[in-house]
Amino acid sequence: MKNIITQFSRIFVGILFIISGLIKLNDPLGFSYKLAEYFSEPVFNMPFLVPLSLGIALFLVILEVVLGIMLLIGYKTKFTIWSLLILIVMFTFLTFYSAYFNVVKDCGCFGDALKLTPWQSFTKDIVLLFFILILFFNKTLIRPLFKNSIQNIIIYVSIFLCSFMGILVLNHLPLIDFRPFKVGNNIQKGMRIPDNAEKSVVEMIFIYKVNGVDKEYTEKDLANIPEGAVFVDRKDKIITEGYVPPIHDFTMEKNDTDYKDEFLESPKTMLIVAYDLVNADKGGMAKMEKLYLEAKAKGYKVAGMTASTPEEIDTVKKQFGLTFDFYFCDAITLKTIERSNPSIVILDKGTVTQKAHHNDLSDLKL
């Protein structure tokens, strides 16, 4: 019975680590954004690690896949199980911290393929920890499947293929797109909230300065605010979050006007997405004016989309000789739309028909 439980744990943990790792390896940039969120000041306050997010993300996802393979074939059992135990303890801490303090809404455990709430992620890690502990206390029951030379070849090939996949998707696009802006999806439909959708329950909190100290009061407490208190601010505390549409915070603002309806209703729209113009790939930006003129000649409405400031937009337009207009959209939304900076999205009345990395502009069919 002990051997059966151990072998089941071996297969379950190995397969789950491989699947989880491959999903994130399909989109390492997305996972790096999640790590950067953990490293940010509101969470762990380690901003010095933010620039290293992509490198750390690649290392972790490749490690996750390779450890899963090592466990399945019984390669270096002691090292493998200790590594799995350390990883799952770290992940369990992160998911518990996210859930308890409500700081990161989605851990990114399965990328955009499967969204888990913080408490669901924590529960998943507790289950994994349970099975990894079974493996830890029964290491002697895990035998290698092949002789040592074949085991080595399998691991070296796994590392090479994972590294190749990581480089491939970073220089092009994810092999499988799980995001709400994938080809075939309609942006307007993604923004709609069903009539019977659950509404958020929000409590208004009023902040007053009382004797030089900021104090919070709910609506029920307003009658008890002491005389002479000075109003400072009001914030909304979400008690229960209602339905959130797959696409939200999508705007195309310019001069305090939102033009998204105009572009989303057009049968031929090209969006040039560059969430951060200052750090955008210079080679990619140098191609955008030629692409704009080609698209314009074929009847496309063309818009640049960015979260950069007007001053940064002016600087980049002069630097690369760009003549098309840029419209503002939230940086997180733009990172969700596409992973490369810059990238191209083609729309037909709001439906995504094509997407292209700046390295793959020749693949566009205008």
Side-chain angles (χ1 to χ4, degrees):
M1 178 61 76
K2 183 188 290 188
N3 185 56
I4 293 174
I5 294 173
T6 301
Q7 300 311 320
F8 172 81
S9 302
R10 172 185 185 173
I11 296 170
F12 176 76
V13 172
I15 291 176
L16 198 61
F17 263 74
I18 292 171
I19 292 174
S20 174
L22 285 176
I23 288 173
K24 293 195 285 288
L25 187 56
N26 173 69
D27 183 16
L29 261 179
F31 185 49
S32 74
Y33 296 151
K34 190 59 58 178
L35 289 181
E37 193 175 348
Y38 277 109
F39 297 148
S40 65
E41 292 185 17
V43 186
F44 291 118
N45 193 22
M46 296 189 291
F48 62 93
L49 287 177
V50 172
L52 305 175
S53 297
L54 181 56
I56 296 173
L58 274 171
F59 172 77
L60 286 176
V61 296
I62 292 174
L63 179 65
E64 202 171 343
V65 175
V66 173
L67 285 176
I69 295 172
M70 289 170 68
L71 180 63
L72 288 180
I73 67 174
Y75 183 80
K76 296 187 183 297
T77 301
K78 187 175 180 181
F79 170 81
T80 300
I81 294 177
W82 266 108
S83 299
L84 289 170
L85 184 60
I86 291 170
L87 271 182
I88 199 60
V89 168
M90 180 183 71
F91 290 154
T92 303
F93 167 74
L94 290 177
T95 52
F96 172 77
Y97 190 93
S98 299
Y100 187 79
F101 293 101
N102 197 29
V103 287
V104 178
K105 301 294 184 183
D106 172 29
C107 72
C109 304
F110 294 99
D112 290 289
L114 178 62
K115 295 286 188 180
L116 298 178
T117 66
W119 283 116
Q120 287 173 338
S121 298
F122 174 68
T123 303
K124 179 264 299 177
D125 286 341
I126 288 294
V127 172
L128 270 173
L129 178 60
F130 170 76
F131 284 108
I132 291 174
L133 285 174
I134 291 175
L135 296 172
F136 182 80
F137 290 113
N138 296 280
K139 291 190 286 286
T140 56
L141 296 178
I142 299 176
R143 307 291 185 188
L145 296 184
F146 311 101
K147 60 183 182 180
N148 198 49
S149 58
I150 296 178
Q151 301 270 76
N152 288 332
I153 292 173
I154 292 174
I155 297 306
Y156 294 149
V157 170
S158 299
I159 295 172
F160 171 77
L161 291 178
C162 287
S163 301
F164 176 78
M165 180 177 171
I167 294 171
L168 180 69
V169 297
L170 286 175
N171 286 281
H172 300 278
L173 291 178
L175 300 177
I176 303 175
D177 193 350
F178 295 105
R179 289 161 291 160
F181 293 92
K182 67 181 180 181
V183 172
N185 280 12
N186 182 272
I187 294 178
Q188 294 98 314
K189 288 182 180 178
M191 291 190 291
R192 288 177 193 156
I193 300 177
D195 294 335
N196 59 347
E198 184 180 352
K199 302 290 190 290
S200 295
V201 177
V202 179
E203 181 181 45
M204 289 188 291
I205 304 295
F206 299 87
I207 303 173
Y208 280 81
K209 190 175 289 295
V210 181
N211 297 325
V213 179
D214 288 349
K215 293 189 175 183
E216 296 184 353
Y217 297 88
T218 64
E219 287 184 275
K220 298 177 182 178
D221 299 328
L222 291 179
N224 301 323
I225 295 176
E227 202 172 318
V230 179
F231 175 76
V232 175
D233 196 6
R234 196 209 88 186
K235 62 182 181 181
D236 293 332
K237 179 181 178 182
I238 299 177
I239 306 301
T240 304
E241 189 168 56
Y243 175 81
V244 178
I247 297 176
H248 51 278
D249 295 335
F250 180 88
T251 62
M252 297 182 69
E253 295 180 358
K254 190 173 184 295
N255 300 325
D256 298 323
T257 302
D258 193 345
Y259 293 89
K260 70 173 178 287
D261 291 336
E262 175 184 333
F263 285 95
L264 294 180
E265 289 169 4
S266 171
K268 300 176 77 173
T269 293
M270 173 184 284
L271 303 180
I272 299 175
V273 181
Y275 75 91
D276 182 352
L277 287 172
V278 174
N279 294 308
D281 183 89
K282 290 180 170 52
M285 292 303 299
K287 303 173 187 175
M288 292 302 109
E289 180 64 16
K290 180 182 177 182
L291 180 64
Y292 159 65
L293 294 175
E294 181 184 347
K296 183 181 177 183
K298 294 185 178 181
Y300 281 83
K301 293 176 69 69
V302 182
M305 295 187 69
T306 187
S308 298
T309 65
E311 294 76 19
E312 291 169 339
I313 292 173
D314 290 339
T315 299
V316 169
K317 289 182 73 171
K318 290 176 183 177
Q319 180 182 358
F320 296 102
L322 306 178
T323 56
F324 54 86
D325 291 329
F326 278 91
Y327 297 78
F328 177 83
C329 185
D330 179 74
I332 295 176
T333 301
L334 294 179
K335 289 178 181 179
T336 305
I337 292 174
E338 201 50 283
R339 294 310 194 201
S340 65
N341 184 29
S343 60
I344 306 300
V345 179
I346 304 296
L347 304 176
D348 178 358
K349 294 184 178 180
T351 298
V352 181
T353 57
Q354 297 181 71
K355 300 174 83 172
H357 191 285
H358 60 77
N359 288 332
D360 301 316
L361 299 184
S362 60
D363 294 339
L364 286 173
K365 296 178 177 62
L366 300 180

mmCIF file of all heavy atoms in Angstrom, residues 16-17 19-21 23-24 64 106-116 121 124 128 178:
data_model
loop_
_atom_site.group_PDB
_atom_site.id
_atom_site.type_symbol
_atom_site.label_atom_id
_atom_site.label_comp_id
_atom_site.label_asym_id
_atom_site.label_seq_id
_atom_site.Cartn_x
_atom_site.Cartn_y
_atom_site.Cartn_z
ATOM 1 N N LEU A 16 1.849 17.255 -12.753
ATOM 2 C CA LEU A 16 1.347 18.595 -12.440
ATOM 3 C C LEU A 16 2.441 19.649 -12.589
ATOM 4 O O LEU A 16 2.194 20.745 -13.118
ATOM 5 C CB LEU A 16 0.766 18.623 -11.029
ATOM 6 C CG LEU A 16 -0.167 19.810 -10.728
ATOM 7 C CD1 LEU A 16 -1.363 19.792 -11.657
ATOM 8 C CD2 LEU A 16 -0.637 19.779 -9.278
ATOM 9 N N PHE A 17 3.663 19.327 -12.157
ATOM 10 C CA PHE A 17 4.766 20.278 -12.305
ATOM 11 C C PHE A 17 5.094 20.502 -13.778
ATOM 12 O O PHE A 17 5.381 21.634 -14.194
ATOM 13 C CB PHE A 17 6.006 19.780 -11.545
ATOM 14 C CG PHE A 17 6.144 20.380 -10.179
ATOM 15 C CD1 PHE A 17 5.314 19.980 -9.135
ATOM 16 C CD2 PHE A 17 7.091 21.354 -9.929
ATOM 17 C CE1 PHE A 17 5.432 20.532 -7.874
ATOM 18 C CE2 PHE A 17 7.222 21.920 -8.671
ATOM 19 C CZ PHE A 17 6.396 21.512 -7.630
ATOM 20 N N ILE A 19 3.021 20.175 -16.409
ATOM 21 C CA ILE A 19 1.930 20.944 -17.032
ATOM 22 C C ILE A 19 2.002 22.408 -16.611
ATOM 23 O O ILE A 19 1.932 23.320 -17.450
ATOM 24 C CB ILE A 19 0.566 20.338 -16.662
ATOM 25 C CG1 ILE A 19 0.397 18.963 -17.319
ATOM 26 C CG2 ILE A 19 -0.572 21.269 -17.090
ATOM 27 C CD1 ILE A 19 -0.846 18.220 -16.890
ATOM 28 N N SER A 20 2.144 22.645 -15.318
ATOM 29 C CA SER A 20 2.214 24.013 -14.808
ATOM 30 C C SER A 20 3.403 24.761 -15.408
ATOM 31 O O SER A 20 3.290 25.919 -15.823
ATOM 32 C CB SER A 20 2.317 23.992 -13.276
ATOM 33 O OG SER A 20 2.526 25.287 -12.766
ATOM 34 N N GLY A 21 4.559 24.087 -15.481
ATOM 35 C CA GLY A 21 5.751 24.719 -16.024
ATOM 36 C C GLY A 21 5.624 25.016 -17.503
ATOM 37 O O GLY A 21 6.013 26.103 -17.969
ATOM 38 N N ILE A 23 2.880 25.516 -19.261
ATOM 39 C CA ILE A 23 1.913 26.601 -19.472
ATOM 40 C C ILE A 23 2.599 27.951 -19.261
ATOM 41 O O ILE A 23 2.411 28.895 -20.046
ATOM 42 C CB ILE A 23 0.696 26.453 -18.536
ATOM 43 C CG1 ILE A 23 -0.178 25.281 -18.986
ATOM 44 C CG2 ILE A 23 -0.135 27.733 -18.515
ATOM 45 C CD1 ILE A 23 -1.309 24.950 -18.052
ATOM 46 N N LYS A 24 3.403 28.063 -18.220
ATOM 47 C CA LYS A 24 4.118 29.325 -17.968
ATOM 48 C C LYS A 24 5.260 29.532 -18.954
ATOM 49 O O LYS A 24 5.575 30.655 -19.317
ATOM 50 C CB LYS A 24 4.625 29.358 -16.527
ATOM 51 C CG LYS A 24 3.516 29.435 -15.478
ATOM 52 C CD LYS A 24 4.038 29.817 -14.110
ATOM 53 C CE LYS A 24 4.751 28.679 -13.427
ATOM 54 N NZ LYS A 24 3.830 27.622 -12.969
ATOM 55 N N GLU A 64 10.863 23.998 -13.092
ATOM 56 C CA GLU A 64 9.614 23.310 -12.767
ATOM 57 C C GLU A 64 9.384 22.126 -13.708
ATOM 58 O O GLU A 64 9.052 21.019 -13.270
ATOM 59 C CB GLU A 64 8.453 24.313 -12.867
ATOM 60 C CG GLU A 64 7.220 23.926 -12.083
ATOM 61 C CD GLU A 64 6.188 25.025 -12.040
ATOM 62 O OE1 GLU A 64 6.535 26.194 -12.324
ATOM 63 O OE2 GLU A 64 5.024 24.718 -11.714
ATOM 64 N N ASP A 106 -4.033 37.040 -8.495
ATOM 65 C CA ASP A 106 -3.851 35.763 -9.196
ATOM 66 C C ASP A 106 -2.369 35.427 -9.165
ATOM 67 O O ASP A 106 -1.533 36.207 -9.606
ATOM 68 C CB ASP A 106 -4.352 35.883 -10.644
ATOM 69 C CG ASP A 106 -4.022 34.657 -11.475
ATOM 70 O OD1 ASP A 106 -3.930 33.561 -10.894
ATOM 71 O OD2 ASP A 106 -3.853 34.814 -12.697
ATOM 72 N N CYS A 107 -2.032 34.252 -8.650
ATOM 73 C CA CYS A 107 -0.624 33.884 -8.493
ATOM 74 C C CYS A 107 0.056 33.578 -9.818
ATOM 75 O O CYS A 107 1.282 33.547 -9.907
ATOM 76 C CB CYS A 107 -0.490 32.676 -7.565
ATOM 77 S SG CYS A 107 -1.068 31.120 -8.315
ATOM 78 N N GLY A 108 -0.723 33.312 -10.865
ATOM 79 C CA GLY A 108 -0.138 32.977 -12.156
ATOM 80 C C GLY A 108 0.364 31.548 -12.227
ATOM 81 O O GLY A 108 1.168 31.207 -13.098
ATOM 82 N N CYS A 109 -0.111 30.677 -11.321
ATOM 83 C CA CYS A 109 0.364 29.281 -11.269
ATOM 84 C C CYS A 109 0.174 28.559 -12.592
ATOM 85 O O CYS A 109 1.014 27.750 -12.987
ATOM 86 C CB CYS A 109 -0.373 28.522 -10.170
ATOM 87 S SG CYS A 109 -0.242 29.268 -8.534
ATOM 88 N N PHE A 110 -0.949 28.827 -13.273
ATOM 89 C CA PHE A 110 -1.218 28.207 -14.562
ATOM 90 C C PHE A 110 -1.386 29.265 -15.648
ATOM 91 O O PHE A 110 -2.149 29.081 -16.599
ATOM 92 C CB PHE A 110 -2.462 27.330 -14.479
ATOM 93 C CG PHE A 110 -2.299 26.132 -13.574
ATOM 94 C CD1 PHE A 110 -2.777 26.159 -12.275
ATOM 95 C CD2 PHE A 110 -1.647 24.989 -14.019
ATOM 96 C CE1 PHE A 110 -2.620 25.061 -11.433
ATOM 97 C CE2 PHE A 110 -1.485 23.885 -13.187
ATOM 98 C CZ PHE A 110 -1.965 23.923 -11.885
ATOM 99 N N GLY A 111 -0.661 30.386 -15.492
ATOM 100 C CA GLY A 111 -0.731 31.449 -16.484
ATOM 101 C C GLY A 111 -2.152 31.950 -16.680
ATOM 102 O O GLY A 111 -2.936 32.062 -15.734
ATOM 103 N N ASP A 112 -2.482 32.239 -17.946
ATOM 104 C CA ASP A 112 -3.840 32.676 -18.280
ATOM 105 C C ASP A 112 -4.738 31.505 -18.650
ATOM 106 O O ASP A 112 -5.911 31.696 -18.938
ATOM 107 C CB ASP A 112 -3.795 33.671 -19.450
ATOM 108 C CG ASP A 112 -3.181 35.004 -19.036
ATOM 109 O OD1 ASP A 112 -3.837 35.731 -18.279
ATOM 110 O OD2 ASP A 112 -2.048 35.299 -19.455
ATOM 111 N N ALA A 113 -4.176 30.292 -18.652
ATOM 112 C CA ALA A 113 -4.963 29.117 -19.033
ATOM 113 C C ALA A 113 -6.005 28.771 -17.979
ATOM 114 O O ALA A 113 -7.112 28.324 -18.297
ATOM 115 C CB ALA A 113 -4.039 27.924 -19.269
ATOM 116 N N LEU A 114 -5.659 28.951 -16.714
ATOM 117 C CA LEU A 114 -6.569 28.629 -15.615
ATOM 118 C C LEU A 114 -6.375 29.646 -14.505
ATOM 119 O O LEU A 114 -5.334 29.688 -13.866
ATOM 120 C CB LEU A 114 -6.297 27.218 -15.089
ATOM 121 C CG LEU A 114 -7.142 26.759 -13.890
ATOM 122 C CD1 LEU A 114 -8.617 26.726 -14.266
ATOM 123 C CD2 LEU A 114 -6.684 25.399 -13.401
ATOM 124 N N LYS A 115 -7.382 30.485 -14.305
ATOM 125 C CA LYS A 115 -7.309 31.510 -13.274
ATOM 126 C C LYS A 115 -7.775 30.928 -11.934
ATOM 127 O O LYS A 115 -8.860 30.357 -11.841
ATOM 128 C CB LYS A 115 -8.203 32.702 -13.646
ATOM 129 C CG LYS A 115 -7.749 33.445 -14.897
ATOM 130 C CD LYS A 115 -6.530 34.288 -14.625
ATOM 131 C CE LYS A 115 -6.201 35.177 -15.807
ATOM 132 N NZ LYS A 115 -5.008 36.011 -15.552
ATOM 133 N N LEU A 116 -6.939 31.078 -10.922
ATOM 134 C CA LEU A 116 -7.285 30.628 -9.580
ATOM 135 C C LEU A 116 -7.306 31.823 -8.641
ATOM 136 O O LEU A 116 -6.476 32.724 -8.755
ATOM 137 C CB LEU A 116 -6.256 29.612 -9.071
ATOM 138 C CG LEU A 116 -6.108 28.302 -9.859
ATOM 139 C CD1 LEU A 116 -5.005 27.450 -9.239
ATOM 140 C CD2 LEU A 116 -7.411 27.529 -9.892
ATOM 141 N N SER A 121 -5.369 28.924 -4.995
ATOM 142 C CA SER A 121 -3.945 28.662 -5.241
ATOM 143 C C SER A 121 -3.273 28.104 -3.992
ATOM 144 O O SER A 121 -2.465 27.162 -4.069
ATOM 145 C CB SER A 121 -3.236 29.953 -5.676
ATOM 146 O OG SER A 121 -3.773 30.444 -6.878
ATOM 147 N N LYS A 124 -4.328 24.520 -3.517
ATOM 148 C CA LYS A 124 -3.609 23.683 -4.473
ATOM 149 C C LYS A 124 -2.196 23.388 -3.986
ATOM 150 O O LYS A 124 -1.710 22.243 -4.067
ATOM 151 C CB LYS A 124 -3.589 24.376 -5.838
ATOM 152 C CG LYS A 124 -2.853 23.633 -6.941
ATOM 153 C CD LYS A 124 -1.425 24.100 -7.111
ATOM 154 C CE LYS A 124 -1.334 25.554 -7.494
ATOM 155 N NZ LYS A 124 0.061 26.009 -7.596
ATOM 156 N N LEU A 128 -0.342 19.799 -2.974
ATOM 157 C CA LEU A 128 0.954 19.402 -3.528
ATOM 158 C C LEU A 128 1.982 19.144 -2.427
ATOM 159 O O LEU A 128 2.756 18.188 -2.495
ATOM 160 C CB LEU A 128 1.473 20.491 -4.478
ATOM 161 C CG LEU A 128 1.074 20.361 -5.954
ATOM 162 C CD1 LEU A 128 1.517 21.584 -6.725
ATOM 163 C CD2 LEU A 128 1.642 19.094 -6.564
ATOM 164 N N PHE A 178 -3.914 32.157 -24.433
ATOM 165 C CA PHE A 178 -5.039 31.922 -23.528
ATOM 166 C C PHE A 178 -5.709 33.228 -23.084
ATOM 167 O O PHE A 178 -6.637 33.207 -22.284
ATOM 168 C CB PHE A 178 -4.559 31.180 -22.276
ATOM 169 C CG PHE A 178 -4.044 29.787 -22.549
ATOM 170 C CD1 PHE A 178 -2.687 29.514 -22.526
ATOM 171 C CD2 PHE A 178 -4.922 28.749 -22.821
ATOM 172 C CE1 PHE A 178 -2.208 28.240 -22.762
ATOM 173 C CE2 PHE A 178 -4.455 27.463 -23.065
ATOM 174 C CZ PHE A 178 -3.091 27.208 -23.034
#
